[in-house]
Amino acid sequence: MADSLSLPIAPIAANYDHSSLLSRNSAFSSRLLPFKCFSSGKNKLNLSSLGQYSFHSLHHRVAPIRALDSDVPHPLHKGMLTGLLGNLSLLSYFAKKKEKEAAVVQTLGVLSTYVVISQLAMAEAMPLPHFMATSVVVGSGLILNLLNYYNILNRRIWQIWEDFITVGGLSVLPQIMWSTFVPYIPNSILPGAIAFILAVAAVTMAHTGKLSEKGVKFVGAISGWTATLLFMWMPVSQMWTNFLNPDNIKGLSAISMLLAMTGNGLMIPRALFIRDFMWFTGSTWGTVSYGYANIVCLYIFNSIGREFFIAATVGLISWLGITLWRDTVVHEYESPIRTLKELVFGS
């Protein structure tokens, strides 16, 4: 049983051979017992020698390893924090635009992610200071967005919050992109550091009047776009992981991918109707590249049946077609091409 438990660890800790993994997890490993505990017969224990070593010592040596001390190079809580920052940024974007339904969706995303982070903290997989700082940011973000939605928040306070998520999002995005491909590229904090400096400079110039009106508007949209790009990068990271370790496909849930495709797809009509290119881009990308692309991977690796795959494909194509058709009818256009032009370039 102990040996079988060590096998799933092998794909993660690629730099370890199987023998070392087995020895770390086996209850009576030769690493834990001195050589004289074994008699000349193969795999036969010398109980008299074993008795010289206390059970307390053995228990200490085979004690479970905390998640915080794991050999996994990318702790789970860092990925969760990235998603949390994306949810908070999009919540601020939609709350400012008074998009109630979208703001509610992002709020639920913040709360659900925070629940997972809380569980990681209780399991000691996340440092307590990090969890406390995260709790302050989450609580502050939810309260500030609620007050701003109902127009009862001081404008200066809201501006400080927007600057915070702008700098934070723009700093995290290139760092996440870079770290996805480690160790194939050198591990470095340089992308995040450069982005941080540029973000601070852009925000400072916007507040000191050194940017044109168009430049100020661009800086104001950075937080929304960086949040969208963070979510857009998630399927890229997932597909890259699947490419390196095809066995990971078996761990994906087809129903979860279908729900991801459906949930993002339901946001496309509203984004298209109000001509919000950022919202439309993020929703469409999530529908196609995160939900449907993973369904394709599941089908290729025979993890789902043909009927499921065909139903998902027909459903996606039909929904996108109906969305474009209905928007064309509502605006009395002759072709959906005009709709897409207005979406990208404006009316």
Side-chain angles (χ1 to χ4, degrees), residues 112-343:
S112 60
T113 304
Y114 182 72
V115 169
V116 176
I117 289 177
S118 300
Q119 293 173 334
L120 292 174
M122 289 187 290
E124 299 184 8
M126 180 180 185
L128 182 59
H130 293 186
F131 174 69
M132 297 301 296
T134 301
S135 300
V136 171
V137 172
V138 170
S140 301
L142 292 176
I143 293 173
L144 292 175
N145 277 284
L146 178 65
L147 295 177
N148 186 66
Y149 182 84
Y150 289 104
N151 299 316
I152 53 177
L153 181 67
N154 181 274
R155 182 174 178 81
R156 178 58 181 166
I157 297 177
W158 178 252
Q159 186 63 61
I160 293 174
W161 170 254
E162 282 194 319
D163 293 342
F164 171 76
I165 58 177
T166 297
V167 173
L170 194 56
S171 302
V172 167
L173 178 61
Q175 189 63 46
I176 291 297
M177 292 180 171
W178 181 274
S179 63
T180 298
F181 303 106
V182 174
Y184 294 91
I185 57 176
N187 190 9
S188 173
I189 63 170
L190 190 60
I194 293 176
F196 174 79
I197 294 173
L198 293 176
V200 171
V203 169
T204 302
M205 292 174 66
H207 290 325
T208 55
K210 295 183 179 181
L211 294 179
S212 63
E213 183 179 349
K214 188 175 182 180
V216 173
K217 185 177 180 180
F218 173 78
V219 172
I222 287 179
S223 61
W225 273 109
T226 52
T228 300
L229 292 173
L230 279 171
F231 285 112
M232 291 175 66
W233 190 254
M234 289 174 62
V236 175
S237 179
Q238 179 68 57
M239 288 185 284
W240 174 251
T241 302
N242 294 342
F243 172 75
L244 296 179
N245 302 294
D247 287 341
N248 286 346
I249 293 291
K250 299 177 181 179
L252 292 178
S253 168
I255 300 299
S256 296
M257 295 301 102
L258 181 63
L259 290 174
M261 184 183 78
T262 305
N264 283 285
L266 290 174
M267 294 186 178
I268 294 177
R270 176 62 180 173
L272 184 63
F273 180 74
I274 66 173
R275 300 297 190 263
D276 191 320
F277 184 49
M278 185 195 75
W279 189 1
F280 178 84
T281 302
S283 299
T284 304
W285 183 268
T287 301
V288 177
S289 297
Y290 184 61
Y292 183 70
N294 279 300
I295 290 177
V296 172
C297 291
L298 289 169
Y299 177 70
I300 292 175
F301 287 91
N302 298 318
S303 295
I304 59 174
R306 179 179 300 178
E307 295 80 6
F308 187 98
F309 173 71
I310 293 176
T313 302
V314 172
L316 175 60
I317 295 175
S318 300
W319 179 251
L320 294 178
I322 291 173
T323 298
L324 288 172
W325 170 63
R326 289 304 304 166
D327 188 84
T328 303
V329 171
V330 168
H331 290 88
E332 298 181 350
Y333 295 157
E334 296 180 356
S335 168
I337 300 298
R338 182 175 175 182
T339 294
L340 296 176
K341 285 184 178 180
E342 288 185 356
L343 178 69

Side-chain angles (χ1 to χ4, degrees), residues 10-67:
I12 299 175
N15 295 329
Y16 291 84
D17 58 23
H18 286 168
S19 60
S20 65
L21 288 170
L22 292 176
S23 64
R24 287 178 60 186
N25 292 276
S26 182
F28 287 97
S29 168
S30 59
R31 287 179 57 192
L32 302 180
L33 302 178
F35 180 77
K36 66 180 181 178
C37 289
F38 294 87
S39 64
S40 58
K42 184 179 180 180
N43 295 333
K44 184 177 180 181
L45 284 171
N46 186 331
L47 296 179
S48 61
S49 298
L50 179 62
Q52 299 175 10
Y53 294 87
S54 67
F55 285 103
H56 174 75
S57 176
L58 287 176
H59 174 74
H60 175 73
R61 297 191 182 195
V62 298
I65 300 175
R66 293 192 308 162

